[in-house]
Amino acid sequence: MFGLRATISALMVVAVLAPATGFAQSRTAAEDAQGDQTYPQILAQTGGVIVDAELTRYVDQLGQKLASYSSQADAQWTFSILDTPIVNAFATPGGYIYLTRGLLALANDEAELAAVIGHEIGHVTAHHGAQRDSTGNRAGIGVLLGAVIGGLANGREGLKDGIQMGAKLAMGYVAQNSQAQEYEADKLGIRLIAAAGYDPNAQADFLDHLLASTELEAKLRGRQYNPNQVSFFASHPATADRVRAAIREARKQGLDVDTNAPRNEQAYLAAISGMVFGDSSAQGFVRARSFSHPEMRFTFTVPKGFVITNSALAVLAEGPNRATIKLDGGRDDGQNLRRFINRTWLPGLANDVRIGQPGEVQAITVNGLEAATVSVPARVRRGEIMVQLTAIRFEGQIIRLTGVSAAAEQATAEALADAVYSFRALSAGEAAALRPYTLETYQVQAGDTAAFLAASFPFSEYREGYFRVLNGYDLSEEPQPGDLVKLVAE
């Protein structure tokens, strides 16, 4: 959360010359400069890269192998694994390919990962980043700042836009691709991974798994499933059917596709075994209705019926009737908290929404911590709302808690106030007891069922759903003896 204490590192390796697949036009100096400039900004916004030298090396070697078959085989390529559980992958000019830890957790073998990387290499070699307007198509960083208000101004979809583009994507420098660019990257990636000895159908397989994953997420949040409002599909308007159509077209044009090519499942699962699943210690943990940060040493709990989304920028929880609460913060410059709310925070809020006359800013104490709070009415397209602003001084930070509810819902406003007063410091023992979940590889034994294997997952609901999504089993399938599967362990 907030991108604090994130380790920023990546391997920079020059690709080996090899037969090229893709566009012949070489990379420009301007593209290299753009990629170099946005690289540290992207890492800062997404929580940095994972601290796992072996897995980083594995992904880099795979990426360099694939890039050696591209039309920019003699250029520099950088492959980074972002430390976020969100499933996404993207490329920026200059040969920068970004994969999230969440995507690696969802992929089931090396061929699926290779297909994703090949697709992103296709975006680079086709110069898609240079073709897009550098400002007009960005998933703007500022979107998150208005996400809470936007939810009530534009309905649940307005809130989801803010979450997806801010709290979930947290990638303000990443432009979205057009349908035409995606299809072009499909075709280039298909030829590239086929040349490298992989079955391009692995890309469609991965998208099938991703569809199942996003449907499960929709169930968890009590929503209808819409793939266009999920982080990966928002930036990649891709479907498995479209990929399969591109493969058929390529085969008609003479592409040799080996559908029996090894998927390298065992090597891949060995590489990701032990990888953090979900939030990391540097980002803080969502556990049911609580968010706890073992490094920053605080915790708070949201009301019943709220679902928490954590990101490098903020913690955002959404509840019934579009009520929301957001936790973010920044450096404490020592100023009076009441003055901070009156002179900084309220004027900033007025830029996002038409506010009414705020109440008097009150100095309060939250579990022994200095704080200040105010309620302010506001009007949005759907009607009147009440916004609660609370600033808490904590360990060199000013923690900001923003609660939003419909003006007439006093019970919800009181529940949001209770969430504020749940904020407290963690003891050293409590912080030490918090551990991330990890992925472990297991070989299925006789008698093992999906329900039995899922029973060990440290989740309160949908355990079997998680197991099936993580391992690519549909509802009609059961794991067979000898299968290698991924389990989530505490």
Side-chain angles (χ1 to χ4, degrees):
M1 190 192 71
F2 314 151
L4 296 177
R5 309 177 190 181
T7 302
I8 297 179
S9 63
L11 295 175
M12 307 283 284
V13 183
V14 178
V16 180
L17 287 172
T21 299
F23 281 48
Q25 183 180 348
S26 61
R27 203 181 294 165
T28 67
E31 287 175 309
D32 283 340
Q34 184 181 348
D36 293 345
Q37 178 184 8
T38 58
Y39 175 73
Q41 296 166 333
I42 288 172
L43 295 193
Q45 298 245 343
T46 55
V49 297
I50 65 169
V51 183
D52 186 328
E54 290 189 14
L55 181 55
T56 300
R57 188 178 305 110
Y58 172 85
V59 170
D60 184 77
Q61 288 174 348
L62 176 59
Q64 301 298 341
K65 171 186 174 181
L66 293 165
S68 73
Y69 288 90
S70 77
S71 61
Q72 295 180 6
D74 57 346
Q76 181 169 278
W77 292 85
T78 303
F79 299 89
S80 300
I81 308 171
L82 299 176
D83 188 17
T84 170
I86 303 306
V87 179
N88 214 346
F90 59 94
T92 59
Y96 286 88
I97 308 295
Y98 301 87
L99 308 162
T100 65
R101 177 165 48 76
L103 185 143
L104 266 64
L106 188 61
N108 282 308
D109 53 49
E110 186 174 289
E112 290 186 9
L113 180 60
V116 173
I117 294 174
H119 177 92
E120 299 305 331
I121 289 174
H123 280 304
V124 174
T125 59
H127 306 276
H128 288 160
Q131 294 169 13
R132 295 184 298 247
D133 177 70
S134 62
T135 57
N137 277 338
R138 287 179 184 170
I141 301 170
V143 173
L144 177 62
L145 301 179
V148 174
I149 300 301
L152 282 136
N154 303 306
R156 183 167 293 278
E157 299 313 316
L159 175 61
K160 281 186 64 59
D161 287 344
I163 297 170
Q164 297 297 341
M165 298 181 72
K168 295 204 72 177
L169 285 176
M171 297 168 183
Y173 294 89
V174 181
Q176 297 181 5
N177 300 303
S178 69
Q179 290 277 2
Q181 289 171 333
E182 282 298 311
Y183 191 61
E184 189 171 42
D186 279 343
K187 292 189 288 186
L188 291 172
I190 285 165
R191 292 188 173 277
L192 190 153
I193 61 179
Y198 295 99
D199 177 8
N201 286 294
Q203 182 175 342
D205 294 342
F206 174 77
L207 291 173
D208 281 337
H209 303 328
L210 185 54
L211 281 170
S213 175
T214 54
E215 287 185 79
L216 176 61
E217 180 180 352
K219 287 181 182 179
L220 287 168
R221 294 177 179 272
R223 302 182 185 134
Q224 290 186 338
Y225 165 64
N226 185 340
N228 295 320
Q229 292 161 358
V230 180
S231 55
F232 189 90
F233 292 119
S235 55
H236 301 73
T239 67
D241 288 343
R242 191 199 68 194
V243 170
R244 292 187 175 103
I247 293 171
R248 288 194 296 271
E249 178 184 334
R251 297 185 79 165
K252 288 178 182 178
Q253 296 173 358
L255 179 69
D256 183 19
V257 175
D258 182 3
T259 57
N260 295 315
R263 302 291 289 254
N264 295 345
E265 176 191 32
Q266 186 170 353
Y268 180 73
L269 294 181
I272 65 171
S273 184
M275 182 180 71
V276 170
F277 180 82
D279 297 321
S280 69
S281 297
Q283 298 160 338
F285 301 126
V286 177
R287 298 290 185 263
R289 292 190 295 113
S290 292
F291 176 81
S292 302
H293 204 300
E295 294 189 7
M296 296 181 70
R297 297 274 294 274
F298 72 79
T299 185
F300 84 110
T301 302
V302 301
K304 290 181 179 179
F306 280 64
V307 178
I308 302 173
T309 298
N310 183 26
S311 81
L313 295 177
V315 179
L316 185 63
E318 51 186 317
N321 299 322
R322 300 187 297 276
T324 58
I325 185 166
K326 182 180 72 171
L327 184 151
D328 62 3
R331 185 178 60 84
D332 182 3
D333 60 5
Q335 68 176 296
N336 179 278
L337 292 182
R338 294 173 64 189
R339 180 177 298 176
F340 166 75
I341 290 177
N342 275 319
R343 297 190 178 182
T344 302
W345 201 354
L346 280 170
L349 177 65
N351 290 330
D352 288 332
V353 66
R354 188 172 62 181
I355 66 173
Q357 180 63 37
E360 182 182 354
V361 180
Q362 301 288 331
I364 61 174
T365 300
V366 175
N367 290 311
L369 301 169
E370 179 189 354
T373 189
V374 69
S375 293
V376 55
R379 173 171 286 278
V380 294
R381 183 165 58 88
R382 289 180 176 262
E384 298 287 340
I385 62 172
M386 185 61 67
V387 183
Q388 302 175 21
L389 307 178
T390 304
I392 302 175
R393 177 161 281 129
F394 181 76
E395 298 294 332
Q397 298 276 318
I398 293 180
I399 301 296
R400 303 192 313 173
L401 285 155
T402 306
V404 178
S405 60
E409 294 184 355
Q410 183 62 30
T412 302
E414 291 174 359
L416 293 175
D418 289 342
V420 168
Y421 280 95
S422 74
F423 184 96
R424 65 177 180 85
L426 286 171
S427 69
E430 288 175 318
L434 290 168
R435 293 283 189 274
Y437 299 148
T438 59
L439 280 182
E440 307 295 340
T441 302
Y442 173 78
Q443 187 169 39
V444 176
Q445 305 297 309
D448 287 344
T449 64
F452 173 77
L453 294 172
S456 66
F457 280 32
F459 307 137
S460 59
E461 56 183 344
Y462 291 110
R463 291 187 181 94
E464 185 174 339
Y466 273 111
F467 173 83
R468 291 184 179 278
V469 163
L470 274 177
N471 293 287
Y473 293 112
D474 62 32
L475 292 175
S476 65
E477 292 180 292
E478 285 292 336
Q480 300 300 307
D483 285 358
L484 291 175
V485 296
K486 292 172 283 188
L487 303 179
V488 180
E490 260 185 304

